[in-house]
């Protein structure tokens, strides 16, 4: 029997707002995505993951959901989403939607009802409302801080207008945390899952998956030395949520996939989310965050496979997403790991080097066992936009840290499709998109790269199509070949091998092998630095 699709799929992340704008208001929309389905099919991906497309005031790019059963009016309608799902399926693309269990928007009806209700009411018990500390309740209930910076509590007036309780928000103030100890919360989310599974959605990406379960005592803690168990990250109780979701997913004749956003530095704790009755896969952030260094990469690859093996889950490989600096930029600076400290953000970038490494990195990712996630625009080699004027910035990280964290807007700039000036075919009109595009992005447009043999787009297309013809790729075993420590070299099956040269000198290729694809031209018969090759033969 063929392995389930999620074990080796290539999944393309669509950040709807920045993908393609069909109606000319400068904001990407579902009609825009629908028009580009042929592009995505031709690219050669298997599935699309949509970041939240629900009704939202967009305080956090849609991760503040006001209504899961409605599409944000800027993106379209529910009928359009249904049509998009159906057409994607006809095109051979599966659909994954984003579910955010930890919080909702402050505009969600539940939160609005909670604000209107009295302290201690059933409506407030869907969230974490608490009286403040200090003589007049003027201090937050504990010392927790928001992921985005600043306190994790906001005080609200009582229904009579007097200063009242505080509510917990681990992210922005517009994202109140749900109380998963209240069974209504689980009931509602399972109903939302069914709502989308009934509409043909093939899987869900689970946002901030380690955070919904809280220590109900809400104790203070020192963020630099968090106690174990942590009061809200990776508590054992969180697993019950996903067991419930798995039962829902497995209730369909074609079981639906659960994909976790699980940021944890303990591989064994991450693997616990992938037990046979929980999620199917999780993003590999260790890989995303790994510096461009052969020994470190090899350790992450081995560590990933070792931790996934006992639970029987397939690994995933991720280089970029909507939360991190684009990897063409990361790989071009001295510190190639993730991170947006002022030193990292302001560091000099050698974009030619970063791009060269990005080309090698995608061949590595696609050759490793398991599935791969692509973030829209990486197939065009887009760099991080580092000079967005402050007036355009939207990310709560930027505002809540007063600019100390530049935020994630630079990886969310609308895609260039064609033409020589902004909006580069993103919108059908001359309107300025919601985030400005750089003046030199014509070179990155799909039209500019479409027929160019050396373009990033051509490399992605070629690699994705070749991957489908190589039975040993995707799920299955890999074996390391003996190699220079600065070269990653491994086989998949008996006919395929991949080499990546992370040293600064050319490396020899194995004898008796034929080149299938290289990320850059070979140097005679040597593999140049920062280059990957796929070979037929081992
Ligand atoms: C996840 C999302 C991120 C969002 C956060 C809060 O990390 O990927 O974009 O800001 O959750 O929902
Ligand atoms: Ca639009």
């Amino acid at each position: 029997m063929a392995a389930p699709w999620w074990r080796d799929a290539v999944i393309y992340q669509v950040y709807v707002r920045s993908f393609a704008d069909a109606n000319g208001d400068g904001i990407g929309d579902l009609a825009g995505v629908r028009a580009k389905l042929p592009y995505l099919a031709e690219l050669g991906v298997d599935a699309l993951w949509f970041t939240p497309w629900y009704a939202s005031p967009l305080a956090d790019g849609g991760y503040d959901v006001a209504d899961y059963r409605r599409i944000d009016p800027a993106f379209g309608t529910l009928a359009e989403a249904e049509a998009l799902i159906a057409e994607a399926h006809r095109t051979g693309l599966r659909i994954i939607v984003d579910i955010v269990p930890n919080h909702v928007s402050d505009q969600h009806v539940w939160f609005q009802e909670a604000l209107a209700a009295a302290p201690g009411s059933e409506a407030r018990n869907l969230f974490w409302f608490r009286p403040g500390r200090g003589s007049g309740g003027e201090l937050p209930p504990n010392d927790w801080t928001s992921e985005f910076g600043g306190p994790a509590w906001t005080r609200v007036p009582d229904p009579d207008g007097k200063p009242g309780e505080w509510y917990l928000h681990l992210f922005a103030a517009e994202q109140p945390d749900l109380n998963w100890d209240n069974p209504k919360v689980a009931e509602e989310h399972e109903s939302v899952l069914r709502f989308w599974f009934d509409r043909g959605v093939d899987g869900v990406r689970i946002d901030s998956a380690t955070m919904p379960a809280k220590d109900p005592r809400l104790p203070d803690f020192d963020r630099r030395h968090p106690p174990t168990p942590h009061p809200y990250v990776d508590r054992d109780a969180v697993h019950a949520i996903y067991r419930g979701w798995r039962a829902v997913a497995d209730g369909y004749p074609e079981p639906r996939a659960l994909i976790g956003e699980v940021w944890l530095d303990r591989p064994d704790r991450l693997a616990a989310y992938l037990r046979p009755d929980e999620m199917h896969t999780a993003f590999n952030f260790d890989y995303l965050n790994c510096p461009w260094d052969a020994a470190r990469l090899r350790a992450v690859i081995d560590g990933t496979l070792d931790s996934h093996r006992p639970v029987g889950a397939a690994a995933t490989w991720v280089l970029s997403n909507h939360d991190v600096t684009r990897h063409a930029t990361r790989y071009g600076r001295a510190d190639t790991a993730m991170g947006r400290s002022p030193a990292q953000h302001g560091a000099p970038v050698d974009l030619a080097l970063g791009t060269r490494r990005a080309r090698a990195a995608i061949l590595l990712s696609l050759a490793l066992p398991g599935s791969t996630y692509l973030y829209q625009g990486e197939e065009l080699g887009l760099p991080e936009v580092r000079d967005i004027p402050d007036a355009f910035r939207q990310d709560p990280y930027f505002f809540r840290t007063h600019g100390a964290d530049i935020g994630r807007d630079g990886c969310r700039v609308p895609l260039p499709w064609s033409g020589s000036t902004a909006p580069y075919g993103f919108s059908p009109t001359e309107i300025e998109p919601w985030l400005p595009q750089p003046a030199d992005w014509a070179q990155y447009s799909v039209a500019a790269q479409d027929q160019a043999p050396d373009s990033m787009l051509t490399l992605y297309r070629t690699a994705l199509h070749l991957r489908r013809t190589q039975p040993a790729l995707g799920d299955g075993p890999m074996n390391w070949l003996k190699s220079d420590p600065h070269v990653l070299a491994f086989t998949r099956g008996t006919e395929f091998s991949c080499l990546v040269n992370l040293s600064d000198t050319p490396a020899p290729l194995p004898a008796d092998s034929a080149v299938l694809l290289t990320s850059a031209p070979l140097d005679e018969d040597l593999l140049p630095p920062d280059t990957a090759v796929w070979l037929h033969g081992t």
Side-chain angles (χ1 to χ4, degrees):
M1 208 177 82
W5 64 272
W6 56 79
R7 294 191 67 95
D8 56 17
V10 177
I11 298 163
Y12 183 98
Q13 179 186 356
V14 180
Y15 195 81
V16 181
R17 233 177 150 194
S18 297
F19 187 72
D21 166 28
N23 67 350
D25 62 357
I27 300 173
D29 45 44
L30 298 191
V33 179
R34 197 167 166 193
K36 301 293 187 195
L37 286 176
Y39 166 80
L40 294 164
E42 189 191 345
L43 180 60
V45 298
D46 303 302
L48 307 179
W49 148 35
F50 289 88
T51 50
W53 59 13
Y54 319 106
S56 164
L58 295 173
D60 178 24
Y63 284 94
D64 46 324
V65 179
D67 184 348
Y68 274 107
R69 296 176 182 83
R70 251 180 355 114
I71 296 292
D72 194 85
F75 295 162
T77 62
L78 183 59
E80 279 181 276
E82 290 170 343
L84 177 58
I85 295 166
E87 192 165 326
H89 283 164
R90 283 196 294 277
T91 316
L93 295 166
R94 299 186 192 260
I95 299 286
I96 294 159
V97 297
D98 220 308
I99 303 286
V100 190
N102 186 67
H103 44 265
V104 289
S105 162
D106 61 350
Q107 301 305 312
H108 190 283
V109 58
W110 277 6
F111 194 70
Q112 290 298 315
E113 284 170 6
L115 288 181
S121 59
E122 181 53 25
R124 287 205 171 183
N125 188 37
L126 292 165
F127 298 92
W128 294 97
F129 280 88
R130 290 289 183 281
R133 295 200 276 206
S135 53
E138 71 283 4
L139 298 171
N142 71 21
D143 64 358
W144 298 3
T145 51
S146 153
E147 296 294 308
F148 292 145
W153 295 91
T154 292
R155 194 174 196 187
V156 295
D158 275 339
D160 65 8
K162 296 209 188 88
E165 290 187 320
W166 298 69
Y167 68 89
L168 175 68
H169 51 86
L170 293 179
F171 292 90
E174 296 86 349
Q175 294 167 295
D177 278 50
L178 289 166
N179 171 15
W180 278 85
D181 294 339
N182 186 330
K184 272 183 78 175
V185 174
E187 240 169 68
E188 166 63 4
H189 277 78
E190 292 180 11
S191 153
V192 166
L193 291 180
R194 287 199 190 86
F195 181 88
W196 287 103
F197 289 156
D198 288 346
R199 283 167 175 73
V201 159
D202 302 280
V204 292
R205 178 260 188 195
I206 305 167
D207 184 75
S208 305
T210 63
M211 297 165 82
K214 313 287 190 297
D215 180 341
R217 295 168 305 145
L218 306 176
D220 276 337
F221 79 111
D222 179 347
R223 213 179 157 87
R224 282 159 308 163
H225 307 284
T228 325
H230 192 289
Y232 58 80
V233 175
D234 189 34
R235 295 181 66 78
D236 289 339
V238 84
H239 293 281
I241 301 175
Y242 307 122
R243 293 202 186 95
W245 291 19
R246 179 61 174 260
V248 173
D250 285 352
Y252 287 79
E254 277 235 22
R256 311 303 160 102
L258 306 181
I259 301 152
E261 189 205 14
V262 183
W263 294 88
L264 287 176
D265 46 21
R266 294 233 341 240
D268 57 323
R269 297 292 303 187
L270 185 147
Y273 289 77
L274 305 178
R275 288 176 287 195
D277 60 347
E278 294 192 42
M279 302 176 188
H280 299 87
T281 65
F283 298 101
N284 191 340
F285 295 124
D286 286 345
Y287 183 70
L288 184 157
N289 192 25
C290 187
W292 187 248
D293 172 272
R296 303 277 297 270
L297 276 166
R298 186 171 167 149
V300 165
I301 294 165
D302 284 340
T304 300
L305 298 176
D306 289 348
S307 64
H308 283 57
R309 200 171 295 117
V311 288
T316 70
W317 310 100
V318 191
L319 296 169
S320 274
N321 65 30
H322 66 296
D323 290 330
V324 298
T325 304
R326 283 194 178 271
H327 63 271
T329 296
R330 267 177 11 231
Y331 287 157
R333 61 188 193 201
D335 178 353
T336 51
M338 193 183 87
R340 282 188 305 270
S341 68
Q344 285 164 302
H345 175 71
V349 175
D350 178 343
L351 200 51
L353 178 65
T355 303
R356 183 177 176 89
R357 290 175 171 171
R359 294 176 63 93
I362 189 61
L363 294 198
L364 172 62
S365 301
L366 292 173
L368 289 169
S371 75
T372 303
Y373 285 83
L374 309 180
Y375 173 49
Q376 71 178 38
E378 70 167 82
E379 81 278 23
L380 306 177
L382 291 187
E384 183 80 2
V385 181
R386 300 196 297 157
D387 56 359
I388 297 175
D390 289 358
F392 285 93
R393 292 200 174 271
Q394 308 225 349
D395 189 1
Y397 269 114
F398 179 75
F399 296 106
R400 293 184 61 99
T401 64
H402 308 287
D405 183 332
I406 193 71
R408 302 164 294 180
D409 296 308
C411 67
R412 301 175 175 181
V413 172
L415 296 190
W417 290 94
S418 60
S420 54
T421 54
Y424 305 107
F426 170 72
S427 292
T429 50
E430 288 306 299
I431 193 166
E432 175 150 46
W434 68 279
L435 277 178
Q437 299 159 304
D440 66 350
W441 266 25
Q443 57 180 318
Y444 294 109
S445 78
V446 173
Q449 299 196 37
D450 191 33
Q451 303 293 330
D454 298 332
S455 71
M456 188 70 88
L457 180 59
T458 300
L459 179 72
Y460 269 69
R461 282 178 180 156
T462 312
L464 289 165
H465 288 272
L466 204 50
R467 187 178 181 271
R468 286 185 174 163
T469 67
Q470 299 291 317
L473 293 188
D475 202 15
M478 71 178 277
N479 287 302
W480 291 108
L481 290 168
K482 243 176 119 68
S483 68
D484 177 293
H486 299 291
V487 174
L488 296 172
F490 57 94
T491 61
R492 302 294 317 274
T494 54
E495 307 266 273
F496 181 97
S497 47
C498 174
L499 272 74
V500 191
N501 184 359
L502 292 97
S503 77
D504 44 24
T505 49
L509 297 178
D512 302 327
S513 52
V515 172
L516 292 168
L517 182 61
T518 59
S519 62
L522 296 184
D523 175 358
E524 308 277 323
D525 48 4
L526 297 176
L527 186 64
D530 295 311
T531 305
V533 64
W534 286 2
L535 298 168
H536 180 79
T538 56

